[in-house]
Amino acid sequence: MGRIPASRSFQYLIIAVIFISIILYFQSSVFYTDAYPGNSTSSFDSPIAHCNINNGQQASEHVEGEGAEWAPTTATITVTTTATSTSTTTVAPILGGPAKNSEPPYCNYCTSSDELCKRYGSFNLARSRAYEGPNARLKRVLRKLRSGQKIKIGIIGGSVSKGHGLTDRRLNWSHIYAEYIRETFARSTSADPANVEVELINGSVGATISEYMETCFREHIPEDVDLVIIELAINDQRLERLAKGYENLIRAIFALPLKPAIINVQIMALMFATITMGGDLHTAIAEYYDTPIISLRNVLLPHIFRSTQLDSSDTSVEDYWFEHDSNGIDLRHLSVQGHRMLGDLLGSFTSRVACEGWREEQLLQNGKNIDIIGGWDWAPYDSDRFEGLSPSLPNPNEGSDVSEYIPRQTLFQKYDHTTILRPATPFCRTTNTLAGTSYYSPYANLLEPLPAPLSTEGLDAFALWSHPQNPGKVWLTARKPGVKAAFKVITSALGRVRVTYLRSESYGLGSVWCWLDNDRQKGRRLDGYWTLKDIHVANTHAIVEDATPGEHILHCEILKETKDPGGGTEFRIVAVDAL
């Protein structure tokens, strides 16, 4: 072989140095990603994307948030486990202000200090967030909390959220969530506090559905709530009319004075004819109104399927996460462990939202616009091509952008250019104002029949009653055919009058005929008996939908005819409402 010229040898050397440098660069990059605390090959999204923004600083310089200086704040958390009883405990500081160039401790998603990520893993946490969204409302609520103002959290749910099977209210997921907020945002704050109050009002009612809550939710939580968490995914069947009720509930909550944020919580039940329940119809509605969803089913069900596929006799997973009763595993109500997981999943999600909100505030302080929604070339307005949709399309509800916009039409309407829905004034009278049998909800109006001759009086009359084994569920109950009850109702814009009543296949329930004012012929029959096994829930049906605005008298009479195979005629009324 001939000798390689010196100039060419130098060129080869330079190429080799460049090639080796490139290899070393990629190796170091891969090593950094793999070694980053909290990173997981099974995670849906990398923690680096969530925890590393401060003007290009390395994540290891700031994600822990330890040793940062904080503005002093403390909290007093008031927990109301029913709509009637309140206990107050003074606790450590909450939501202090971070020092300059340092992120707060709740920006630690799936880092070495994130205990929830250690407990569940980034994969499961990611699956729990069925819909996340931008969370403009929740960020507003968390900013209010961080500023030292009191916030109220209202819970609207069924028997799970009410605490079925729990021996201590502190084991309830809602209490765990409130405690998580306190403990997480209290870290690294000054010991000299300014008081911040978090009040938790658990207005959950067993055996109720969205159709009841859409009009009667204000009987169970106060109007001045800042955050409402809804848990009705397994109480609602997969029916369009219940999905409409759920949508009406969301719209009604948004119309409250403080325009509260909403989080949808979806648990699971494995005792019914299908795995899918009303929550799967709730999902589309929640997305339509940009309200986040935290799903317990998304996390647990794959693990249950896997264990039973490996061994069909294996019930260990169900045994751990579900409640137990006299019949064995209750595949509808959560165990203590299930409540803990649900509270933890909510806590992890809220920390992510709080961190994102804090980072957005830092960008705003640096003069950067974070509200740009539009694109560059598809927007119909010239100004949007550079500034996004926000400036040229103000929010008709309030404010200058679309971040908290409430759609002018429901999801179940045909689209047009003119329809604008206005909030109606709900009227509700309910037996569920009772917490147990001794106390009344401070927010509620009790359902009481009008006096004779409009209503039957005496021993056979409709009266408040609860089963001795379940005193927490109260109904207006009568059993004798011919017994009547009458109620005053007030309709507003919609002209709709409804009755909510219990339905069951095994409780021996009969039927009533209900009508408005003197128009008995245009009344409607309501049957307490149905053929759905193991489902004992309240159903809501309209008696009229075209009443004139104002006061009316609603009449109901127990019929001799019944669909119950055993001839039962008992009827249990939960509520009457009007819009």
Side-chain angles (χ1 to χ4, degrees):
M1 290 180 64
R3 178 181 297 178
I4 299 176
S7 59
R8 184 176 299 176
S9 175
F10 179 75
Q11 292 174 354
Y12 287 165
L13 177 62
I14 294 299
I15 293 171
V17 170
I18 293 173
F19 182 75
I20 293 172
S21 298
I22 292 173
I23 293 175
L24 291 175
Y25 173 80
F26 280 107
Q27 285 181 339
S28 64
S29 298
V30 172
F31 174 78
Y32 175 79
T33 303
D34 288 344
Y36 188 82
N39 193 36
S40 169
T41 56
S42 62
S43 175
F44 285 176
D45 49 358
S46 170
I48 295 177
H50 294 283
C51 302
N52 183 21
I53 63 165
N54 281 343
N55 298 322
Q57 297 181 43
Q58 287 186 347
S60 59
E61 295 176 353
H62 64 269
V63 294
E64 301 295 338
E66 300 296 335
E69 297 179 3
W70 295 80
T73 25
T74 62
T76 299
I77 180 167
T78 303
V79 180
T80 306
T81 55
T82 69
T84 61
S85 60
T86 303
S87 60
T88 304
T89 307
T90 301
V91 297
I94 175 171
L95 279 176
K100 188 175 182 180
N101 298 324
S102 174
E103 289 198 325
Y106 47 79
C107 284
N108 69 336
Y109 178 73
C110 280
T111 65
S112 60
S113 63
D114 187 348
E115 295 302 321
L116 295 184
C117 193
K118 293 177 183 177
R119 184 178 300 164
Y120 300 107
S122 59
F123 175 84
N124 290 316
L125 291 178
R127 280 191 63 90
S128 74
R129 301 187 297 273
Y131 175 72
E132 201 158 1
N135 292 293
R137 293 180 178 87
L138 184 55
K139 290 172 186 174
R140 167 169 53 78
V141 172
L142 294 175
R143 282 196 300 271
K144 178 179 178 180
L145 179 63
R146 196 170 66 215
S147 71
Q149 300 180 65
K150 174 181 178 178
I151 69 167
K152 292 183 179 181
I153 303 175
I155 310 298
I156 296 175
S159 56
V160 171
S161 295
K162 189 175 181 179
H164 177 91
L166 297 180
T167 58
D168 189 331
R169 61 179 177 79
R170 291 172 296 182
L171 301 174
N172 191 299
W173 67 262
S174 59
H175 187 91
I176 293 169
Y177 175 61
E179 286 292 294
Y180 176 86
I181 291 177
R182 175 184 64 79
E183 294 170 3
T184 299
F185 297 129
R187 257 184 291 150
S188 301
T189 55
S190 171
D192 184 18
N195 288 328
V196 175
E197 219 178 334
V198 178
E199 185 177 355
L200 174 66
I201 305 98
N202 191 343
S204 300
V205 181
T208 52
I209 56 178
S210 293
E211 277 188 322
Y212 167 79
M213 283 296 186
E214 69 169 291
T215 307
C216 295
F217 75 93
R218 296 194 305 177
E219 308 298 301
H220 304 285
I221 62 174
E223 292 189 354
D224 59 342
V225 287
D226 298 278
L227 169 63
V228 178
I229 305 178
I230 305 174
E231 179 273 304
L232 292 169
I234 64 168
N235 281 38
D236 280 2
Q237 299 173 64
R238 192 183 171 104
L239 300 173
E240 184 174 297
R241 64 178 178 83
L242 299 184
K244 290 179 179 178
Y246 185 80
E247 181 176 26
N248 292 338
L249 172 60
I250 287 182
R251 296 185 71 94
I253 292 172
F254 282 157
L256 290 176
L258 298 183
K259 300 176 174 59
I262 296 175
I263 300 177
N264 304 277
V265 167
Q266 296 186 353
I267 61 172
M268 69 173 175
L270 300 178
M271 62 179 293
F272 301 126
T274 61
I275 294 173
T276 183
M277 293 293 288
D280 295 301
L281 295 185
H282 295 176
T283 297
I285 296 166
E287 292 172 351
Y288 183 70
Y289 290 94
D290 196 24
T291 57
I293 304 170
I294 301 301
S295 171
L296 191 72
R297 188 182 73 184
N298 282 3
V299 177
L300 287 181
L301 193 55
H303 298 284
I304 293 175
F305 277 143
R306 182 182 63 175
S307 67
T308 52
Q309 183 174 350
L310 294 173
D311 180 359
S312 60
S313 64
D314 182 11
T315 61
S316 59
V317 182
E318 296 107 309
D319 183 72
Y320 188 75
W321 295 108
F322 285 99
E323 183 58 47
H324 291 242
D325 58 22
S326 58
N327 297 318
I329 302 174
D330 176 0
L331 293 177
R332 177 169 185 163
H333 296 100
L334 297 180
S335 66
V336 171
Q337 291 80 14
H339 275 270
R340 177 187 177 185
M341 173 181 273
L342 187 54
D344 287 347
L345 296 179
L346 276 166
S348 177
F349 165 74
T350 304
S351 288
R352 284 168 57 92
V353 174
C355 179
E356 189 176 89
W358 181 87
R359 288 170 176 167
E360 290 171 354
E361 292 175 20
Q362 308 311 302
L363 292 175
L364 281 175
Q365 291 175 8
N366 295 328
K368 296 181 180 180
N369 184 4
I370 61 170
D371 291 326
I372 293 177
I373 302 174
W376 288 93
D377 56 359
W378 63 269
Y381 306 100
D382 290 339
S383 61
D384 293 341
R385 302 187 192 282
F386 299 98
E387 300 183 44
L389 286 175
S390 298
S392 60
L393 291 179
N395 183 356
N397 304 128
E398 186 175 326
S400 60
D401 60 43
V402 298
S403 62
E404 296 192 25
Y405 175 67
I406 302 172
R408 60 181 175 82
Q409 290 185 266
T410 73
L411 192 59
F412 291 93
Q413 291 180 306
K414 186 181 187 302
Y415 170 76
D416 61 38
H417 282 200
T418 58
T419 300
I420 301 176
L421 294 179
R422 302 296 182 188
T425 303
F427 173 94
C428 179
R429 297 292 183 268
T430 175
T431 63
N432 280 326
T433 60
L434 296 172
T437 57
S438 303
Y439 302 100
Y440 290 87
S441 163
Y443 320 112
N445 296 281
L446 182 64
L447 177 65
E448 295 179 300
L450 294 170
L454 294 175
S455 301
T456 301
E457 294 185 342
L459 296 177
D460 295 326
F462 273 95
L464 294 174
W465 176 84
S466 63
H467 196 283
Q469 295 181 357
N470 195 354
K473 295 179 180 179
V474 182
W475 302 277
L476 194 66
T477 306
R479 299 169 178 83
K480 187 176 180 179
V483 170
K484 300 177 183 178
F487 313 94
K488 182 178 75 173
V489 296
I490 302 175
T491 57
S492 57
L494 199 59
R496 185 187 71 187
V497 177
R498 306 187 308 176
V499 174
T500 299
Y501 59 102
L502 187 68
R503 304 198 73 181
S504 171
E505 179 263 347
S506 59
Y507 286 1
L509 301 180
S511 304
V512 296
W513 184 264
C514 296
W515 67 96
L516 197 66
D517 297 327
N518 297 318
D519 201 351
R520 184 183 179 112
Q521 295 301 316
K522 292 185 178 179
R524 178 169 182 178
R525 174 172 169 158
L526 305 177
D527 298 306
Y529 172 84
W530 63 6
T531 58
L532 300 178
K533 293 183 179 297
D534 300 320
I535 301 180
H536 322 286
V537 297
N539 264 221
T540 303
H541 286 98
I543 305 304
V544 297
E545 300 189 72
D546 57 356
T548 57
E551 287 191 8
H552 298 272
I553 302 298
L554 172 67
H555 305 265
C556 290
E557 179 181 348
I558 295 182
L559 298 176
K560 182 178 180 180
E561 300 80 12
T562 177
K563 291 188 175 181
D564 177 54
T569 58
E570 179 179 306
F571 200 84
R572 306 182 191 180
I573 299 176
V574 177
V576 300
D577 68 68
L579 277 178

